[in-house]
Amino acid sequence: MDKNRVVIFDTTLRDGEQSPGATMTHDEKLEIAEMLDDMGVDIIEAGFPIASEGDFRAVSEIAKRAKNSRICGLARANFADIDRCAEAIKHAELNRIHTFIGTSPLHRAIPNLTMDEMADKIHETVTHARNLTENVQWSPMDATRTEWDYLCRVIEIAIKAGATTINIPDTVGYTAPAESADLIKRLIETVPGADEVIFATHCHNDLGMATANSLAAVAGGARQIECTINGLGERAGNTALEEVVMAMKTRNDIMPWHTGIDTKKIMAISRRVSTVSGFLVQPNKAIVGKNAFAHESGIHQDGMLKNPENFEIMRPEDIGLSGTSLPLGKHSGRAALRDKLEQLGYEIGDNQLKDVFVRFKDLADRKKEVFDDDLIALMRTDDANDVLKLKTLRVVCGTGGPADATLVMEIDGEEKTAIESGDGPVDAAFKAIRQLHPNKAHLELYQVHAVTAGTDAQATVSVRLSEDGNVATGESADTDTVVASAKAYIHALNRLLVRRGKLGDGADTKEVSYKDLA
């Protein structure tokens, strides 16, 4: 075996599925197993066959379908578990029985076994497993809290009984990286026969150190990492497959190890596991979180546009993403806004960008994230050259009576104020507009829809007006529906001014004074 080759043992379908609420259906387990097999996972721990008839059937079917991976089943240290496991995995061309027992003082107390009684049980059960398959993995559960001399003793017994892989679990995530590396190194140097087997590491994330502990164990001599997709697992979860694989790929200068994993398939399986397990990936999770390749800060976005290596140590394409995300928010700068608008097909000059940027910042202060559709709506309401402009609007409404609107509108550069009451806030706002700009326009259409999801979503309002045979449509977007309505109404009025005969078809309102149109 290549001394730098690290075997990936994925237990998403066993340890991962043990997360409360993460139970998968039969078909979902088969689907995830197929994806794991396809991406190059060396060993798939497909389940705990004796746990239920459903788990047995899933492991058995996965064993039949596997094309590349070794299929493993879990068994406690008793003959019934081991026999059931052997039956489930027998159809796999490559298979493994993984049997375990808790060896720490706390775990020895559960079955109430003495050290000698447990040692005998380990010898009997590992021997039995080896008689059923040539590939046997043995784990001393809670190894990192087991007495050193006893741990060495039982590992030697398991090796002599025929175990081919010795897994050292940090069952409660208690170990620190330096301890993890030292433990594996000392076991390999101390236990007779250790050089004839593969040592594995299985780390839990209770203190947030699972990935660090796993990589440290490899530095100590382990050559198998047990992990799950998205770090799914009991309590705080396990070592995440994507983290250890990408750490080795990215830092091969200090971690000269490698695996057979096709990293370009990581994001696809991460999203699928998240869906079928019901465990959403936290946005800031390493590698596969929504924000892992996202940059909102203006400084970061500008640096990314100049050279992605300024703020990314790996390429999003390496895990199957199409590219970096530059989500726009209140921290974003002009460079990112211009880049996003260009992606959306808008070519704008510096002066227009300055105006749009001001309105973008105003929107970003009211929304957590500005989406593409928000920007499109923003560009559709560019009213820099309009004769009529909304300056401020305040509406009071409720169950006690009519709504009152106080509106300030700029008309040809001069600000004017109106106060009106109406049957609801939109009606009151429209009446205030008509007070300041009397007109005979008929409201033919008033339509509201949300641009994006969420309670902070922008509302896009469309208004269609007709006057003396001229028809004009106005549209505006705002997180306040009433404000969007007033802006859309004013926008339509501006378009009607353009269409009046004094201006002619296609004229721009900036060329004519409002006084000429009265």
Side-chain angles (χ1 to χ4, degrees), residues 123 126-127 130 153-163 166 191-193 196-197:
H123 179 266
V126 173
T127 299
R130 185 56 190 267
R153 176 186 172 188
V154 291
I155 289 174
E156 181 180 359
I157 289 171
I159 293 173
K160 287 181 177 179
I166 300 295
V191 177
E196 299 174 5
V197 300

Side-chain angles (χ1 to χ4, degrees), residues 14-196:
R14 197 277 299 171
D15 197 333
E17 202 198 16
Q18 289 177 196
S19 302
T23 300
M24 304 177 198
T25 67
H26 180 79
D27 289 341
E28 286 169 347
K29 291 191 75 168
L30 299 186
E31 179 188 359
I32 297 302
E34 184 178 354
M35 294 179 78
L36 291 169
D37 189 37
D38 182 57
M39 78 184 296
V41 166
D42 299 282
I43 303 147
I44 299 172
E45 189 166 51
F48 197 169
I50 207 167
S52 70
E53 182 60 30
D55 225 29
F56 175 85
R57 287 191 296 106
V59 176
S60 182
E61 188 62 30
I62 290 169
K64 293 174 184 176
R65 297 187 180 194
K67 297 177 181 178
N68 306 300
S69 303
R70 184 179 296 276
I71 305 304
C72 175
L74 185 68
R76 292 167 297 188
N78 64 67
F79 287 6
D81 274 39
I82 293 169
D83 289 342
R84 190 65 167 160
C85 183
E87 180 67 20
I89 64 170
K90 69 180 182 181
H91 297 291
E93 184 175 343
L94 301 172
N95 59 39
R96 172 180 291 185
I97 293 174
H98 177 195
T99 184
F100 72 98
I101 194 168
T103 56
S104 69
L106 287 168
H107 285 260
R108 289 199 303 269
I110 296 173
N112 194 27
L113 294 175
T114 67
M115 287 183 170
D116 289 341
E117 288 171 338
M118 180 167 284
D120 290 340
K121 192 175 188 67
I122 292 167
H123 179 266
E124 292 170 358
T125 52
V126 173
T127 299
H128 184 67
R130 185 56 190 267
N131 287 334
L132 297 172
T133 180
E134 64 178 13
N135 197 291
V136 175
Q137 174 170 312
W138 179 75
S139 295
M141 186 165 63
D142 206 20
T144 56
R145 294 192 296 174
T146 299
E147 304 94 320
W148 168 253
D149 288 343
Y150 189 63
L151 183 60
C152 290
R153 176 186 172 188
V154 291
I155 289 174
E156 181 180 359
I157 289 171
I159 293 173
K160 287 181 177 179
T164 52
T165 297
I166 300 295
N167 177 48
I168 305 300
D170 183 22
T171 303
V172 293
Y174 185 71
T175 306
E179 296 172 318
S180 181
D182 183 62
L183 178 59
I184 297 294
K185 183 174 183 293
R186 290 173 64 205
L187 287 172
I188 293 174
E189 292 173 346
T190 305
V191 177
D195 57 337
E196 299 174 5

Side-chain angles (χ1 to χ4, degrees), residues 325-441:
S325 170
L326 299 180
L328 297 181
K330 66 179 182 179
H331 302 293
S332 300
R334 286 181 176 82
L337 178 61
R338 183 194 292 274
D339 180 72
K340 177 61 75 173
L341 289 174
E342 288 177 353
Q343 291 177 31
L344 296 174
Y346 295 99
E347 297 291 337
I348 61 175
D350 292 341
N351 289 336
Q352 187 183 10
L353 177 65
K354 186 181 300 184
D355 176 68
V356 173
F357 185 70
V358 171
R359 290 185 287 117
F360 160 72
K361 281 289 191 177
D362 177 64
L363 175 62
D365 279 336
R366 289 175 284 145
K367 282 178 66 50
K368 291 182 179 180
E369 184 175 345
V370 179
F371 299 95
D372 290 358
D373 286 343
D374 291 316
L375 292 178
I376 293 171
L378 203 65
M379 293 302 292
R380 287 175 178 168
T381 58
D382 187 357
D383 58 0
N385 297 322
D386 284 346
V387 171
L388 308 174
K389 296 180 182 179
L390 176 69
K391 301 302 292 184
T392 64
L393 173 63
R394 183 172 296 277
V395 177
V396 178
C397 61
T399 59
D404 298 316
T406 301
L407 176 137
V408 178
M409 191 162 70
E410 182 182 304
I411 302 177
D412 205 20
E414 182 181 353
E415 289 190 4
K416 296 186 178 183
T417 303
I419 301 175
E420 281 284 357
S421 296
D423 185 15
V426 174
D427 184 52
F430 282 10
K431 284 182 176 178
I433 293 169
R434 285 196 295 271
Q435 182 191 129
L436 296 180
H437 175 61
N439 64 85
K440 299 177 182 179

